[in-house]
Amino acid sequence: QVQLVESGGGLVQAGGSLRLSCAASVRTFSVYTMGWFRQAPGKEREFVAAISRTGISTYYATSVKGRFTISRDNAKNSVDLQMNNLKPEDTAVYYCGATPRLGRVTGRIEYDYWGQGTQVTVSS
């Protein structure tokens, strides 16, 4: 069982930055591919970024590539999402997910564990 807790959300002006963190309570954090997803009101949960078990490989949605950076620290059982140059369309609840699957895991249904989410609001 994996428990995930996100933090770091908040209100920021367009062009600003936020750093989200996800803390995992699990013995074998390094066996999980980790991902960030987001869900805006009235929309489905969508893929944002993912990182491989070792952190060597990262994957991004086109809409955030070049602005967001995903990273992980296996010694601390944590994964972060650095978000720069935020836009109003980035407003959503951001969720951290964990999956034992390998490779470019971008589908919501491929993730087995989820956190409760953290709200990010970007004002124009």
Side-chain angles (χ1 to χ4, degrees):
Q1 192 74 313
V2 182
Q3 292 184 322
L4 304 171
V5 179
E6 302 95 335
S7 61
L11 173 64
V12 65
Q13 289 187 332
S17 298
L18 280 175
R19 188 176 184 89
L20 305 184
S21 293
C22 174
S25 297
V26 63
R27 284 187 178 182
T28 54
F29 178 69
S30 61
V31 306
Y32 293 94
T33 296
M34 300 300 295
W36 284 97
F37 286 70
R38 65 187 182 187
Q39 187 167 14
K43 295 187 177 181
E44 293 189 353
R45 191 173 299 187
E46 65 174 6
F47 170 75
V48 174
I51 188 166
S52 64
R53 296 184 299 179
T54 61
I56 291 177
S57 299
T58 56
Y59 311 94
Y60 297 94
T62 302
S63 59
V64 307
K65 193 172 293 185
R67 301 188 297 123
F68 290 12
T69 302
I70 188 171
S71 60
R72 68 187 294 163
D73 186 337
N74 286 345
K76 296 182 178 180
N77 283 16
S78 65
V79 58
D80 290 351
L81 184 69
Q82 176 67 43
M83 306 186 295
N84 298 328
N85 190 21
L86 283 160
K87 304 176 181 181
E89 51 264 42
D90 294 319
T91 295
V93 177
Y94 283 70
Y95 296 90
C96 172
T99 175
R101 296 169 176 81
L102 304 177
R104 191 176 189 276
V105 190
T106 62
R108 176 177 54 84
I109 62 173
E110 297 179 281
Y111 284 77
D112 300 306
Y113 305 100
W114 295 97
Q116 83 289 348
T118 185
Q119 177 71 47
V120 172
T121 303
V122 184
S123 63
S124 57

